[in-house]
Amino acid sequence: MLSYISGGAEIDESEPTAKLIETGMRTFKSKLPMPEKVKTEHLKKLKMPVLGILAGQSTMHHSKSRFKSV
């Protein structure tokens, strides 16, 4: 996965930093609950510009399964 997200770059798996990143990616588990979808009525009450970015094309995050556009 590290090579994939690095644009296909060669990864030296003996490199300590690469090992650390790979281990973190393989074993990461969030201790916090997943954020809930913001309700449309709450968004409409906002008085300032808001930028929301969801990883719709990501191989690691699946925004479409959790959120929908408003």
Side-chain angles (χ1 to χ4, degrees), residues 1 13 15 18 22-23 29 31 37 41 44 47-48 51 57 62 70:
M1 184 56 127
E13 295 182 17
E15 168 67 35
E22 180 61 36
T23 300
K29 291 183 183 170
K31 297 288 183 184
K37 179 183 169 205
E41 57 268 18
K44 289 180 179 181
K47 302 295 182 202
M48 75 293 275
L51 173 64
Q57 299 281 322
H62 304 288
V70 238

Side-chain angles (χ1 to χ4, degrees), residues 35-49:
E36 294 182 14
K37 179 183 169 205
V38 179
K39 296 181 180 177
T40 303
E41 57 268 18
H42 292 154
L43 290 174
K44 289 180 179 181
K45 291 179 184 177
L46 296 175
K47 302 295 182 202
M48 75 293 275

